[in-house]
């Protein structure tokens, strides 16, 4: 059983790798933080192959590298937490769901995706081959600057896209 983590304001690297490779962890603790810091959740659940449900991630303002590899390799995860932040920052979602082979539902409400900074780099590489991707209605799907592409660094290939 994971400990309670009630902090709402985080410090740099505070939960970094906290449950790294905890293969028996099935339930994540609540993560109520709304003020993030760089690297705060970096690799927090990386390799937690029994994790079946992700915690809510309520922050609407992100910090560089905040969710970097957070759920990397969580093969039992089927749905991502809703990602409410409108503006993405450097490496914020980098490899966040990489290797989550059963993940088939993502809601990402970003409307501002910077052209550089790797914010979505390989974030959905290795997810399920079909699923539902819910996005902000104003975010355009495409390959131009500020749009979200299809593929491992955007909307997974073969997924249904729904506007919210």
């Amino acid at each position: 059983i994971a400990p309670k983590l009630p902090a709402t304001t985080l410090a740099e690297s505070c939960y970094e790798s906290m449950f790294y490779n905890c293969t028996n962890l099935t339930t994540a603790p609540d993560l109520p933080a709304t003020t993030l810091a760089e690297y705060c959740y970096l690799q927090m659940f990386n390799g937690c192959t029994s994790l079946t449900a992700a915690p809510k991630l309520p922050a609407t303002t992100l910090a560089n590298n905040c969710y970097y590899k957070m759920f990397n390799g969580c093969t039992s995860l089927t749905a991502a937490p809703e990602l409410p932040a409108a503006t993405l920052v450097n490496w914020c979602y980098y490899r966040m769901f990489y290797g989550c082979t059963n993940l088939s539902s993502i809601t990402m409400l970003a409307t501002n995706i910077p052209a550089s900074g790797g914010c979505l780099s390989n974030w959905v590489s290795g997810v399920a081959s079909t699923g539902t991707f819910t996005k902000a209605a104003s975010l355009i799907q495409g390959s131009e600057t500020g749009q979200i592409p299809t593929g491992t660094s955007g909307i997974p290939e073969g997924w249904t896209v729904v506007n919210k």
Side-chain angles (χ1 to χ4, degrees):
I1 296 177
K4 292 191 183 301
L5 301 173
T8 56
T9 300
L10 302 183
E12 185 175 324
S13 301
C14 61
Y15 295 139
E16 181 178 340
S17 302
M18 186 175 210
F19 300 104
Y20 188 92
N21 280 337
C22 286
T23 56
N24 292 324
L25 184 69
T26 57
T27 305
D30 289 338
L31 299 175
T34 53
T35 303
L36 305 184
E38 289 191 6
Y39 308 101
C40 59
Y41 292 127
L42 184 136
Q43 300 194 93
M44 187 175 189
F45 300 106
N46 188 340
C48 294
T49 55
S50 297
L51 187 66
T52 57
K56 289 181 181 176
L57 299 175
T60 56
T61 301
L62 304 179
N64 292 340
N65 304 286
C66 57
Y67 297 132
Y68 188 108
K69 293 186 178 182
M70 186 175 188
F71 299 104
N72 192 91
C74 291
T75 55
S76 296
L77 198 60
T78 58
E82 181 171 299
L83 302 171
T87 301
L88 303 186
V89 297
N90 292 341
W91 307 102
C92 59
Y93 295 159
Y94 173 77
R95 287 181 62 163
M96 188 175 187
F97 302 112
Y98 186 99
C100 294
T101 54
N102 288 302
L103 186 67
S104 61
S105 176
I106 298 173
T107 297
M108 185 195 69
L109 302 178
T111 55
N112 184 0
I113 299 174
S116 62
C119 57
L120 294 176
S121 183
N122 288 304
W123 85 304
V124 292
S125 181
V127 298
S129 59
T130 59
T132 302
F133 189 93
T134 304
K135 66 175 189 62
S138 62
L139 180 62
I140 297 170
Q141 188 176 351
S143 58
E144 301 295 321
T145 299
Q147 298 176 346
I148 187 164
T150 298
T152 60
S153 297
I155 297 172
E157 193 79 45
W159 282 32
T160 301
V161 177
V162 176
N163 288 323
K164 182 172 184 179

